[in-house]
Amino acid sequence: MAVIVFQRMSQLVTDYVLGASGSITPPAAWTMGLSSNAVSAFARNSVWSVTVSGTNINELGSTTAAAYARQTIAKSINTGSIDWGTSTFDSTLSTGGQSRAADQVTFGAFSGAPSPNGADAWVITDGTTLNAGQVYVAGDTAAERTFASGDTEKVTATIKAG
C-alpha cells in the first residue's frame, strides 16, 4: 500500500512542532475523506480539486454525495470516541519507527452511487467541505471500491514515522 505525507504535514513538524511558530497550527479535528485517485497520482503539494488533472486530489461524492461525508477523527488518544490509539515503537533500523492507528471510521451507508465514485485512497484532511481544506497524509485502499445504495466502507488509518 502506497502512502504519502503532504507538504502541510511537513510544515506542521518543521514550523509548529520544532519551531513553535504561530504561522501554522494543527486543525481543531482531523477528518478523513476518500479520493477517487490513487496515491501514485499525488505529489507532496497536491490539493483537493473538482478538476481531475495533474496531481489534484478528487473527492468521492463531490458532485453527487449519496450520503457520503467526511468522517471525524478527534485529536485525542483512547478517549472512547473515534480518535487515535496508543503509539507503538519498533526499533528495527530498516523498517521500524513510531506508529499510531486511528479508530476505524465508517463511510455510508450510501443512498446510491456517489459521483465521482471509486475510492482508491483515504486522505487525512481538515474541515467538512468536500474537495476543500488542507491535505496532510494519504494511503491507498486495498483495491478500488465503487459504491451503490446500502454499501459502507470501513477504513483504519495508520500513521508511521520512521
Side-chain angles (χ1 to χ4, degrees):
M1 177 167 87
V3 295
I4 188 170
V5 174
F6 295 103
Q7 180 180 6
R8 190 68 172 182
M9 183 63 97
S10 297
Q11 284 180 302
L12 273 176
V13 172
T14 60
D15 297 3
Y16 180 77
V17 175
L18 297 178
S21 170
S23 66
I24 182 172
T25 57
W30 303 106
T31 55
M32 182 186 288
L34 296 174
S35 168
S36 65
N37 30 5
V39 169
S40 61
F42 301 159
R44 295 211 185 272
N45 62 348
S46 290
V47 296
W48 289 113
S49 179
V50 174
T51 305
V52 181
S53 68
T55 61
N56 290 345
I57 303 170
N58 188 244
E59 190 161 13
L60 235 67
S62 54
T63 303
T64 304
Y68 167 81
R70 290 182 182 173
Q71 301 300 304
T72 300
I73 302 171
K75 281 180 37 182
S76 57
I77 298 170
N78 293 328
T79 63
S81 64
I82 294 178
D83 62 1
W84 298 92
T86 304
S87 66
T88 58
F89 180 70
D90 175 354
S91 63
T92 307
L93 182 60
S94 61
T95 60
Q98 195 77 22
S99 64
R100 180 180 307 266
D103 292 328
Q104 187 176 72
V105 298
T106 302
F107 294 91
F110 289 90
S111 60
S115 176
N117 199 350
D120 289 300
W122 52 265
V123 179
I124 300 291
T125 186
D126 58 14
T128 57
T129 303
L130 302 188
N131 271 333
Q134 300 291 336
V135 292
Y136 296 91
V137 179
D140 281 335
T141 56
E144 183 176 83
R145 174 88 195 278
T146 56
F147 303 100
S149 183
D151 288 346
T152 60
E153 178 73 350
K154 296 181 183 300
V155 179
T156 304
T158 298
I159 308 297
K160 182 176 183 178

